Amino acid sequence: MRTKQVNVLIALAAVMLFSFSCFCISRMTQTSNQLIHCRHHILEFKEKMLRLKNKTERNRQELIKALSKMKYEMTQRKNMSIHLVEKKINTLGKSETASNTFEILKFFFPHLRKAGRIYPDVIIGKEKTGVSFALGISTVNRGNQSYLKQTLNSVVSRMTPSEEKDSVVIVSVADGNEDYLKSVVDMITKRFKRQLRSGSLEIISIPAFFYPNILHVKQSTEDSGRSESWRIKQVLDFCFLMLYAQPKAMYYLQLEDDIIAKKTYFTKITDFVHNITSKNWFYIEFSILGFIGKLFKSEDLTDFVRFFLMFYKDKPLDLLLGDIFQVKMCNPGETPEKCAERNKQIRIRYKPSLFQHVGIESSLPGEEQYSKDIYY
């Protein structure tokens, strides 16, 4: 009886042990499946992270490329600012009127008749129009010496905000030396950014094809030829600048690149012009030196340029300016006294001078000049 009970207990224990073993095996299998499933999730997550990493790396590389491109473009603009300009060759629209003013050059220079549209090679600025005053400054390379920065600083800094808004200063680079053009552009774009952005300051360059062959021939001769070539070129440079400025403003003021403007000079000029009684004046002198500080009505500029170009080989501009009145204003048979009296009414001199000439190194290579117009 006892043996039978023992066998029953053993059998019961064996069943329970078997059941427990089955349960354990089942749980282990389930856990193993969960681990495998979890492992798959981990592998998928790892794969996604790897793809994300690769995508991030690609984005980073693209960003680096974009930044490098921007940096390159900025460097290019800085190193060669003239690439920022709009070249106004083959464009119409608002520049068309300005371009048409250059057509008179073809009458005097046969080599320009096949040149197509005549216009400055380079223009930096807003091409501002509709203002009261245009101020023209022609500049050339003077070797190791330059007065342009101090000239511009005095001209633009001594205007009030309203005067600056109602005017435009045009710097005309009349030099075929590309390094000089680049140096002028770099200096102005760094030092006078605000004026460029507002349109109150512009830079242009005269195209090399504008100059006639006679100029190139004389440049290759000895000192007398060099001096004559320099004088002829100066007349042509100023004429080109006048034609460019003519459609921009009511009045045109001629300056040079080696002068200093007196404080409140612009206020004095505008007050004088607005209060002048005679309306028949041809020009006003705000300096007695050369062609500096001469104010013209823009509507008369084309007539002045025509006269200058008829005799550009014969005399410098300041002497031609005197001749034009002898030709136009003195009647045949009139006494010199009457002619001189009429000239005083149409050639008005403002005193004291508003501009001081400071340049010693002449624009003619190898020459020095010490002319000064003292103002008080």
Side-chain angles (χ1 to χ4, degrees):
M1 184 69 175
R2 184 175 293 178
T3 301
K4 187 176 180 180
Q5 289 177 345
V6 170
N7 290 336
V8 172
L9 288 173
I10 291 173
L12 183 60
V15 170
M16 292 178 65
L17 183 60
F18 177 80
S19 298
F20 180 76
S21 298
C22 290
F23 173 78
C24 289
I25 291 171
S26 174
R27 293 297 294 172
M28 288 177 64
T29 302
Q30 188 178 0
T31 302
S32 177
N33 291 336
Q34 288 177 345
L35 288 172
I36 292 171
H37 187 65
C38 184
R39 184 185 176 191
H40 287 162
H41 276 293
I42 292 172
L43 291 174
E44 285 178 5
F45 178 78
K46 187 177 179 181
E47 224 170 58
K48 289 179 180 178
M49 289 296 294
L50 187 59
R51 284 198 300 269
L52 183 61
K53 180 181 178 182
N54 292 336
K55 186 176 180 180
T56 303
E57 181 64 20
R58 284 197 302 272
N59 291 341
R60 190 178 74 87
Q61 292 296 334
E62 289 174 0
L63 182 60
I64 290 174
K65 287 180 181 179
L67 290 173
S68 297
K69 185 178 180 181
M70 290 173 63
K71 185 177 180 180
Y72 173 78
E73 290 176 352
M74 290 174 68
T75 303
Q76 287 295 97
R77 291 174 183 176
K78 181 179 179 181
N79 291 339
M80 196 61 181
S81 300
I82 58 175
H83 290 168
L84 290 172
V85 306
E86 296 177 41
K87 294 199 173 184
K88 303 296 178 183
I89 315 294
N90 304 323
T91 58
L92 298 174
K94 69 175 183 178
S95 299
E96 189 172 7
T97 302
S99 177
N100 289 339
T101 64
F102 292 102
E103 289 300 305
I104 69 167
L105 297 175
K106 295 181 179 181
F107 177 80
F108 296 96
F109 303 116
H111 75 282
L112 294 178
R113 293 169 191 169
K114 296 181 180 179
R117 190 165 177 265
I118 304 170
Y119 208 64
D121 268 348
V122 172
I123 301 174
I124 300 178
K126 302 290 186 181
E127 295 193 80
K128 193 175 181 181
T129 58
V131 295
S132 295
F133 292 88
L135 292 71
I137 301 174
S138 182
T139 184
V140 294
N141 188 4
R142 297 173 186 260
N144 295 326
Q145 185 64 55
S146 176
Y147 308 97
L148 181 59
K149 184 177 179 180
Q150 64 175 347
T151 294
L152 275 177
N153 189 57
S154 72
V155 168
V156 301
S157 68
R158 291 173 176 175
M159 291 182 183
T160 65
S162 60
E163 290 169 346
E164 185 178 307
K165 187 177 181 180
D166 195 31
S167 64
V168 56
V169 178
I170 306 161
V171 177
S172 175
V173 182
D175 199 298
N177 186 322
E178 291 187 4
D179 289 336
Y180 182 67
L181 172 61
K182 179 181 179 299
S183 70
V184 171
V185 170
D186 285 348
M187 183 274 289
I188 293 178
T189 53
K190 290 175 183 176
R191 179 66 181 80
F192 302 97
K193 292 179 182 178
R194 182 181 61 78
Q195 289 82 3
L196 283 175
R197 285 196 298 266
S198 69
S200 61
L201 179 60
E202 293 183 9
I203 311 169
I204 69 170
S205 72
I206 300 178
F209 69 80
F210 162 63
Y211 301 103
N213 288 332
I214 184 175
L215 191 60
H216 301 297
V217 171
K218 289 183 179 294
Q219 282 179 336
S220 64
T221 59
E222 297 301 322
D223 289 347
S224 60
R226 285 176 56 248
S227 177
E228 186 179 355
S229 172
W230 169 80
R231 174 178 54 75
I232 290 173
K233 181 178 178 299
Q234 188 179 59
V235 176
L236 298 179
D237 292 342
F238 280 49
C239 286
F240 193 96
L241 178 53
M242 284 176 159
L243 290 176
Y244 177 78
Q246 191 269 332
K248 289 179 170 291
M250 291 177 59
Y251 303 101
Y252 174 75
L253 179 66
Q254 183 65 62
L255 301 176
E256 293 188 9
D257 65 347
D258 57 350
I259 58 97
I260 296 294
K262 187 177 181 180
K263 292 180 180 179
T264 69
Y265 80 97
F266 200 85
T267 302
K268 295 179 186 296
I269 289 175
T270 53
D271 288 347
F272 188 79
V273 171
H274 293 153
N275 294 324
I276 200 167
T277 55
S278 173
K279 301 301 179 184
N280 297 321
W281 60 271
F282 258 36
Y283 80 85
I284 303 173
E285 287 185 298
F286 291 98
S287 170
I288 63 172
L289 285 180
F291 211 55
I292 299 170
K294 305 301 185 282
L295 183 78
F296 304 88
K297 298 173 185 175
S298 292
E299 62 187 20
D300 296 332
L301 284 178
T302 303
D303 290 334
F304 278 103
V305 169
R306 284 196 182 101
F307 185 84
F308 295 153
L309 292 180
M310 281 192 283
F311 303 101
Y312 75 94
K313 300 177 187 177
D314 303 321
K315 293 182 180 181
L317 272 174
D318 52 334
L319 297 184
L320 289 176
L321 195 57
D323 289 347
I324 193 172
F325 295 100
Q326 296 296 325
V327 173
K328 285 200 167 193
M329 297 301 157
C330 293
N331 298 323
E334 189 175 46
T335 64
E337 290 77 14
K338 285 187 177 181
C339 182
E341 185 62 31
R342 184 181 290 110
N343 279 346
K344 287 181 181 179
Q345 297 174 5
I346 59 177
R347 302 170 64 184
I348 300 172
R349 178 173 294 176
Y350 177 92
K351 295 180 180 180
S353 173
L354 296 181
F355 302 98
Q356 172 66 64
H357 182 263
V358 295
I360 295 176
E361 189 71 26
S362 172
S363 55
L364 174 61
E367 297 293 325
E368 293 184 349
Q369 54 189 5
Y370 296 91
S371 301
K372 290 187 180 294
D373 190 0
I374 305 299
Y375 53 61
Y376 299 95

